[in-house]
Structure formats: structure tokens, C-alpha cells
Amino acid sequence: MKPLTRTALVSAAALAAAPALAVSGEDVLQNACAACHVRHEDGRWERIDAVRKTPEGWDMTVTRMMRNHGVALEPQERAAVVRYLSDTRGLTPEEAEGRRYILEREPVAFDEGPDTLMTQTCGRCHSYARVALQRRTPEDWAHLVNFHLGQFPTLEYQALARDRDWWGIAKAEIIPFLAKTYPLGEAPPAFAGDASGDYVLAGRQPGRGDYTGRLALTKAGDDYAVTMTLDFADGSASYKGTGRILGAGEWRATLSDGKTEIRQVLVFHDGRFDGRWYHADSDVIGGRLAAVRPEAAAQVLAAQPARLKIGVPTRVRIAGAGLTDTLTLPEGISGRVESVQGGVAVLELTASGAVGPVAIGLGGQRVDLVAYDQPDRISIVPDLTIARIGGNGGPIPKVPAQFEAVGWLNGADGQAGTADDVALGAFPARWSTENFNEEAETMQDATYAGVIDDAGLFTPGDAGPNPERPMQTNNAGNLKVIATVDTGGVPLTAEAHLYATVQRFVDAPIR
């Protein structure tokens, strides 16, 4: 068996590019897994049938068997058994709802459990989403907790464990909570249909902007040949590759435009794709995506932009299914339909009425927009995140951070930050960074930690010791990110918090 390297710890999206072998996943289970896992008379496998997971979760399990227990699998065999386990012991789309961000590699600084105890118990070492994306028997949840203590014997001496009776709490509270909240249940049937066809898509790539486009799928054996075209305001990008549906509807694909390889992590449910695509070598760079066949049940995927500046004609692109040129406008909104083609309607609209939410009708479908004069305030998304130093001749690349400035109306109560505030979407901004506090000032973090460009993309500094810094420390830093939006009057500003921190040396498919 060849030793596993860091590059072998890939996601299920990467496995979508693996060629198929004549061997099946069931064969791998019989020939490789049976060496350690007992199969009972009822056909159920010890431990294997006590859990259900996402494709990434099963990939992590198979990788651990290879790394820790010497299971020798070729890449195609690994892909086959991950696919088989995902198809027969996966989650429903509803069970993964709310925690998909960790599969989609959505850049979040942290995530939280349902309460402080669960967040502190599980989230101090990995995302809580990794826990919530599993289903187990009560006995297997107990096995998992025991495994943690056996595999990581210093666990009880780490932060948020040494200050309490960790083992006593784990047995008395954590295991019962997990068993009740995430019971094994029944695995859903694997997707057995054909998702081939042409889809209209819409989404947004932070830092670049909104897009519409096409997603074309053609059945190729058990997989699909995939073409994706994204039409931005500043040009188009086209990608080709291979994808597959795992389990009840987990879509994973690897595509390329000849220069950049991207992954798609989507869910296919009720004839619609939803999820995210991202660059394979920098998952911060990417965008959300929704796609549906134009002939599907009438629905709106997106309106771009979703705001109308009062007195200024605005071209709005609406993507969806069942779109027609029948336009219904409320008082204070005028306009016309320029075109409807391929699931995208182009409208020219002008608002002349009151500021606030407005709804137009397009072919009987409601499209929600916002009329505005000036934003009342802006905020930065995300308001807290991390970047990671890297590169500089080392094997681990830099991890950037992407920011956007979002405009807001204060709503009917006139107060900022209350429930009736209305989002206006992203606005062009000027970007800068400053030292976050006195310690950062002393260390000159804003000078060394990295730079931010005109699109809000922060690129961290090089990895390794920096002889120009005190004690030759590295280029990590604690920064304040500042956005300034010119509204034609008094500029609006907002601040966010950024930690430029050290490399992630182990990057599991589910963080």
C-alpha cells in the first residue's frame, strides 16, 4: 500500500473525476472491509450499518481505514466504495439542510452547535457541522466518543476540557443528546433518475458580481458530462468536466476551463440544483449557484440587481423557469420587457415612488425588488473571517479572504440593525486595512499581514519567519477591514474583523 499524502485527502467532489473500474463498491466492501467488519446473519455489517453520512463523511472514513489500518485500495476502488456507501447509507437533502456550508466550503470563521455545551465539546477541534452531518445508533455514538478519547488521549487536558469533568459530561449528557438529536433512521433510496438536460442558472461570485448562465448535463455511463457557462457583466467563463449524483441527490463535479480547475458541491432536489462552486486550489474563490430547467414548474431563481435607484432606469435580469413577457407593475414602477430567452428575462425598470420593498409580476410570478434613493448604511460581509499565510516556497498556498460591502435601508422604524432593515445588495467600495488594536499596532500587523485589492480580496503575507518583524515572527496579524462606499453624498463606511493566521496543515474534506 502506498502511503497517503496530504494531496490524497481530497473531497468527494474530486472523486467525481476518478475513472470507473469493473470492480463495484459492494465488491470492495466484501473483499476489503470484511477483513475487520463482521457481517451478521441479517446482512448488516458491524459498525458500517450503524451510521449514515455524506459522501465527504464516507470518504473520510475510507481514508482513515487506509491510513490507520492498512487497507490497500487503488483510487478507483476508493471512489467505488465511497459511492456505494453514499448510495446505500447516505442522508436525505432535508437532513443535510442548514449544515451544507461545510460541504460547500463556504468561507465561515466558525460555526455553532445548538447550545454552548455542544459547541464547546465538539467545535473546539472541528466544525459542529461535521457532527450534525451524521446519523448513528445510540451504541455507535458511544463508540465515537470512546474513539475520540482513545485516538486523542490528551483530549481531556485541552482547553474547554481540563476545566470540567469532560468524560463524565460526555457520558451523561453528550452521548444521550447525540443519540436523540441525530438517530440512525432509514437511509433514503439512491437517486435513480436521469438529470440530463439543459438548465438555466443564476448566482453571485463575491468580488466579481452576479451571473446567469447555462448548465448542460449529458449522461455518460453512471456519471455525467458537464458544461457550465457563467455570464458576468465583465465577460463569460465556460467550464467542462465530469459529475455524478451520490446518494439521494448529492451532486459532485470537477470542471476546468483549461486554466482553472473548479469543484461543484450541489444538491439535486425536486429537479433543481442548489449549492456552490469554488476553485480547487483556493476554495474561498467561488460562488453560489441555483439551476433549473427552463421548462420546469414556474419559479424565480434570482433578480439581478434586486434594487432600483429612484429616477434611474435599471436593467434587471431575472432568471428562472416558466418566464413570460407578461409584466405587471405596481404604482411607482414603470418599465418594459426587453427580451425573454432561455430562462432569462431582461427588463428595463424605473422606480419613481416611495423607498422600500416593491413586488412586480412576471408571467404570474412574484419578483421582489427594492426601491431606494441612497443606502442608509453599509455593512461588510463577512463581518468576521480568517485568511491564512502561505506560499513563499512552501507546499501550502495562501488562503485569501473575500469581502463585500452591502447596502441597507433602515426600514420603517428608522433604526439601524433591527428586524425591518432591508438589504440592497453589494455596492462597489474602496477597501483598506488597519491594525485592529494596540498590540497589532505594536507589531505593525497592517504592514506585514497582507494587502486588500479594489474588489475586496485580501491576500495574506508569505509564510515563514520575517526578519523585519520583532523576534522574526511570521506575517500573521489582527486587522480591521474598512469599506467606504461613495453614495453621491456623505461616504458610508463600515468595519470588519480579519485574522490573518497560520497555515492549515491538515485539511479534511469536512473541516
Side-chain angles (χ1 to χ4, degrees), residues 138-162:
E139 296 78 13
D140 213 64
W141 280 119
H143 283 316
L144 183 66
V145 173
N146 278 273
F147 164 81
H148 275 65
L149 193 56
Q151 188 79 10
F152 309 105
T154 62
L155 183 151
E156 291 184 285
Y157 303 101
Q158 297 175 10
L160 299 177
R162 60 178 178 263

Side-chain angles (χ1 to χ4, degrees), residues 219-242:
K219 204 81 166 72
D222 291 333
D223 298 331
Y224 294 86
V226 186
T227 299
M228 180 174 74
T229 300
L230 306 179
D231 297 320
F232 294 88
D234 62 357
S236 297
S238 185
Y239 302 86
K240 293 184 178 181
T242 303

Side-chain angles (χ1 to χ4, degrees), residues 178-364:
L178 294 172
K180 179 180 179 180
T181 308
Y182 308 114
L184 179 63
E186 293 294 329
F191 177 76
D194 186 353
S196 295
D198 292 330
Y199 296 76
V200 60
L201 63 81
R204 179 174 181 81
Q205 179 181 343
R208 186 172 182 183
D210 296 325
Y211 56 80
T212 56
R214 311 293 295 178
L215 182 67
L217 274 57
T218 303
K219 204 81 166 72
D222 291 333
D223 298 331
Y224 294 86
V226 186
T227 299
M228 180 174 74
T229 300
L230 306 179
D231 297 320
F232 294 88
D234 62 357
S236 297
S238 185
Y239 302 86
K240 293 184 178 181
T242 303
R244 62 182 50 161
I245 295 179
L246 301 161
E250 292 292 342
W251 171 263
R252 304 292 185 267
T254 297
L255 314 176
S256 174
D257 64 355
K259 297 180 294 183
T260 302
E261 185 172 89
I262 67 170
R263 313 276 196 232
Q264 289 179 334
V265 179
L266 314 173
V267 62
F268 184 63
H269 191 44
D270 292 335
R272 170 172 165 157
F273 287 98
D274 288 280
R276 185 172 181 265
W277 60 269
Y278 56 82
H279 286 195
D281 61 354
S282 183
D283 52 40
V284 170
I285 309 301
R288 301 214 62 79
L289 180 152
V292 67
R293 294 184 179 94
E295 67 274 14
Q299 58 190 285
V300 172
L301 297 179
Q304 305 168 348
R307 62 175 184 258
L308 306 174
K309 186 171 175 62
I310 291 176
V312 178
T314 302
R315 177 170 288 181
V316 179
R317 294 169 64 86
I318 298 173
L323 302 181
T324 74
D325 60 0
T326 303
L327 183 62
T328 304
L329 299 176
E331 184 178 354
I333 304 294
S334 60
R336 63 187 181 91
V337 177
E338 290 188 358
S339 63
V340 180
Q341 186 175 7
V344 178
V346 180
L347 284 59
E348 184 181 272
L349 302 174
T350 303
S352 57
V355 168
V358 294
I360 67 170
L362 184 64

Side-chain angles (χ1 to χ4, degrees), residues 105-109 204-209 276-277 279 282-288 379-388 398-406 426-429 431 433 451-460 481 483 496-499:
R105 299 255 163 169
E106 189 74 56
V108 295
R204 179 174 181 81
Q205 179 181 343
R208 186 172 182 183
R276 185 172 181 265
W277 60 269
H279 286 195
S282 183
D283 52 40
V284 170
I285 309 301
R288 301 214 62 79
S379 65
I380 297 177
V381 177
D383 61 354
L384 169 65
T385 194
I386 60 175
R388 295 182 184 274
K398 299 178 181 182
V399 177
Q402 178 68 62
F403 297 92
E404 287 196 304
V406 175
F427 282 77
W431 296 94
T433 59
V451 295
I452 192 167
D453 67 14
D454 293 340
L457 181 68
F458 176 86
T459 302
V481 176
H497 193 179
L498 169 67
Y499 292 104

Side-chain angles (χ1 to χ4, degrees), residues 5 15 65 99 111 129 150 171 175 201 210 248 274 293 319 330 343 350 408 427 438 457 484 487 491 493 498:
T5 64
L15 290 176
M65 297 300 110
R99 298 291 181 178
D111 68 348
K171 290 192 297 182
I175 293 173
L201 63 81
D210 296 325
D274 288 280
R293 294 184 179 94
T350 303
W408 294 86
F427 282 77
E438 290 184 7
L457 181 68
T484 302
T487 64
T493 63
L498 169 67

Side-chain angles (χ1 to χ4, degrees), residues 423-449:
L424 296 173
F427 282 77
R430 297 191 305 275
W431 296 94
S432 61
T433 59
E434 292 183 359
N435 296 305
F436 187 79
N437 53 23
E438 290 184 7
E439 182 178 358
E441 179 73 32
T442 300
M443 295 297 294
Q444 301 180 57
D445 286 354
T447 301
Y448 296 107

